[in-house]
Amino acid sequence: MEIFKYMEQYDYEQLVFCQDKQPGLKAIIAIHDTTLGPALGGTRMWTYESEAAAIEDALRLAKGMTYKNAAAGLNLGGGKTVIIGDPRKDKNEEMFRAFGRYIQGLNGRYITAEDVGTTVADMDLIHEETDYVTGISPAFGSSGNPSPVTAYGVYRGMKAAAKEAFGTDSLEGKVVAIQGVGNVAYNLCKHLHEEGAQLIVTDINKEAVMRAVEDFGAKAVEINEIYSVDCDIYAPCALGATINDDTIPQLKAKVIAGAANNQLKETRHGDTIHEMGIVYAPDYVINAGGVINVADELYGYNSERALKKVEGIYSNIERVIEIAKRDRIPTYVAADRLAEERIERMRNSRSQFLQNGQHILSRRK
Ligand SMILES: NC(=O)C1=CN([C@@H]2O[C@H](COP(=O)(O)OP(=O)(O)OC[C@H]3O[C@@H](n4cnc5c(N)ncnc54)[C@H](O)[C@@H]3O)[C@@H](O)[C@H]2O)C=CC1
Ligand SMILES: CC(C)CC(=O)C(=O)O
């Protein structure tokens, strides 16, 4: 990858490589765009097959956060971090403390949170070194683990997409194929099970599969079977790029509604599933519950206020579907237009200079 060429093509602001040999820290912070405010996005820890794959993931995820935060109406830009390593065995206190100092060094341009492979405890260690972190323990006046709230938002958005595909937003009796039953999807299973949906699950972590089978009567399938199972809804809740040339021909679902970031390997795959008549709930619209929740910390966290906004993901998906039908465009294009229009409006509005020495997180009680 020619990094500067890629950054110019998609208008990235900053790419920061963070290294600390002793704790084994190798982190990449990507800041895509701060027009709407400081970049906020989680820290993912994963065993990437190459540094190039890690860089690409950080860049794709950061751009996704710009669109997610804009479409959700938040005063936040887009950024994301990937830490190269195995979250099950490479974590240590010094790693996250060192990473916290690198975030502090960005002076509020980037605020982090959880993502794949990181936890509230990891965020608390980062918080030892910087205030530019959310999703920390509620004891600090924070919102805690965002995953259950993300799950609730995905559940609400899935219902809106189901209404478009099946004429009813009831998920009772619907077969939902869930790929990756980790923090978010385990909580999503709870909502779906309570509503009477039938669950099919898969995960590379067999304990995670067994837990869903035991707790929700889910049917377990092999990793690559998830795409071809007979189901109403496919819910990608693992890593990205699972909607691609290999998997699309296998899909039987009428709806794609899941938590994963960057579900489309390429935008053309969004065009293909649109042409197939599949109702696609754009990933960064349906999975915005977590960021909506942590963003409420900027005003002094109020869970009732945050959850009310997360409930609204139902109408956000309805709006995107409505625009897509009105303008005869795929839903992912409708979502992108909503996000880009808001960013452009803010970018072009006059910015009268106002002295405000306080960082927005200073309002967190
Ligand atoms: N945690 C949150 O609040 C938010 C998470 N997301 C996205 O949702 C997705 C899931 O996030 P979390 O639940 O927090 O992560 P997690 O790490 O708790 O869960 C991901 C699960 O996917 C499994 N997995 C990984 N590769 C797989 C594969 N090839 N096939 C099947 N399973 C596989 C993992 O074993 C794990 O159980 C990620 O894409 C994340 O970026 C998006 C918005 C917010
Ligand atoms: C609060 C975080 C979960 C936000 C984020 O990184 C995401 O929505 O992917």
Side-chain angles (χ1 to χ4, degrees):
M1 169 195 282
E2 285 187 79
I3 289 179
F4 271 115
K5 191 170 165 202
Y6 189 96
M7 288 179 77
E8 277 177 359
Q9 183 179 355
Y10 297 107
D11 214 8
Y12 283 84
E13 292 180 16
Q14 196 171 3
L15 191 63
V16 182
F17 292 79
C18 311
Q19 190 278 147
D20 191 334
K21 193 161 54 181
Q22 193 277 329
L25 177 70
K26 288 189 177 64
I28 303 161
I29 304 172
I31 297 179
H32 175 246
D33 185 288
T34 56
T35 302
L36 294 180
L40 191 149
T43 292
R44 174 176 290 190
M45 186 168 180
W46 196 251
T47 51
Y48 291 95
E49 72 266 16
S50 68
E51 286 181 5
I55 294 168
E56 185 184 359
D57 207 21
L59 289 166
R60 274 168 56 95
L61 288 164
K63 182 165 178 271
M65 289 310 300
T66 296
Y67 280 70
K68 180 177 315 191
N69 293 333
L74 301 175
N75 297 320
L76 290 167
K80 205 88 169 186
T81 297
V82 298
I83 295 177
I84 299 172
D86 185 337
R88 289 163 304 178
K89 61 182 182 52
D90 297 335
K91 288 184 179 180
N92 57 71
E93 179 187 354
E94 309 82 76
M95 167 189 278
F96 286 104
R97 301 277 301 259
F99 178 52
R101 291 191 290 275
Y102 278 117
I103 293 177
Q104 182 63 17
L106 286 170
N107 198 24
R109 278 178 47 73
Y110 170 64
I111 302 168
T112 201
E114 291 86 345
D115 191 88
V116 169
T118 58
T119 63
V120 174
D122 302 329
M123 299 304 122
D124 285 345
L125 289 173
I126 292 171
H127 185 232
E128 292 291 330
E129 305 294 341
T130 180
D131 267 341
Y132 303 131
V133 52
T134 55
I136 58 181
S137 297
F140 297 107
S142 163
S143 53
N145 180 1
S147 304
V149 183
T150 300
Y152 181 59
V154 172
Y155 168 65
R156 295 285 298 164
M158 187 184 282
K159 288 175 72 69
K163 192 170 87 175
E164 176 63 22
F166 308 115
T168 168
D169 71 5
S170 166
L171 298 175
E172 188 176 0
K174 287 288 179 291
V175 180
V176 186
I178 300 175
Q179 179 177 40
V181 271
N183 288 324
V184 173
Y186 178 80
N187 287 283
L188 174 61
C189 288
K190 268 188 210 159
H191 295 298
L192 296 174
H193 180 65
E194 277 160 19
E195 189 167 337
Q198 303 303 312
L199 307 181
I200 298 173
V201 298
T202 194
D203 197 301
I204 55 176
N205 174 341
K206 292 310 157 207
E207 285 112 64
V209 173
M210 287 325 296
R211 190 177 56 158
V213 169
E214 280 155 24
D215 294 358
F216 309 115
K219 179 183 171 223
V221 297
E222 291 306 316
I223 293 293
N224 291 323
E225 282 179 44
I226 198 72
Y227 301 107
S228 57
V229 292
D230 215 355
C231 67
D232 299 300
I233 299 170
Y234 163 52
C237 297
L239 303 181
T242 59
I243 301 172
N244 57 51
D245 291 331
D246 300 328
T247 60
I248 289 173
Q250 302 176 54
L251 294 175
K252 298 192 180 69
K254 294 280 175 296
V255 171
I256 298 176
N261 280 308
N262 298 336
Q263 295 169 20
L264 303 175
K265 182 167 175 49
E266 296 170 40
T267 52
R268 65 184 175 87
H269 296 117
D271 301 329
T272 307
I273 57 178
H274 172 69
E275 284 145 24
M276 290 165 68
I278 293 175
V279 177
Y280 173 58
D283 45 19
Y284 63 76
V285 179
I286 194 172
N287 75 13
V291 71
I292 290 169
N293 196 49
V294 299
D296 201 79
E297 292 185 31
L298 311 187
Y299 306 98
Y301 184 63
N302 175 314
S303 59
E304 213 175 295
R305 179 176 61 204
L307 275 178
K308 199 92 198 96
K309 200 161 178 189
V310 172
E311 291 236 340
I313 289 177
Y314 187 108
S315 46
N316 293 351
I317 293 293
E318 280 188 312
R319 185 157 163 241
V320 163
I321 290 170
E322 197 187 293
I323 294 169
K325 285 164 71 175
R326 183 195 68 198
D327 300 351
R328 303 165 69 80
I329 52 178
T331 51
Y332 84 90
V333 175
D336 284 358
R337 283 186 187 168
L338 275 178
E340 288 161 356
E341 280 162 13
R342 179 156 184 259
I343 294 167
E344 276 320 295
R345 282 201 304 273
M346 293 302 279
R347 190 173 276 149
N348 299 332
S349 72
R350 287 179 65 80
S351 57
Q352 306 84 351
F353 176 72
L354 292 174
Q355 182 62 40
N356 174 3
Q358 281 195 336
H359 185 272
I360 53 174
L361 266 176
S362 60
R363 295 179 217 155
R364 179 163 59 188
K365 291 186 183 73

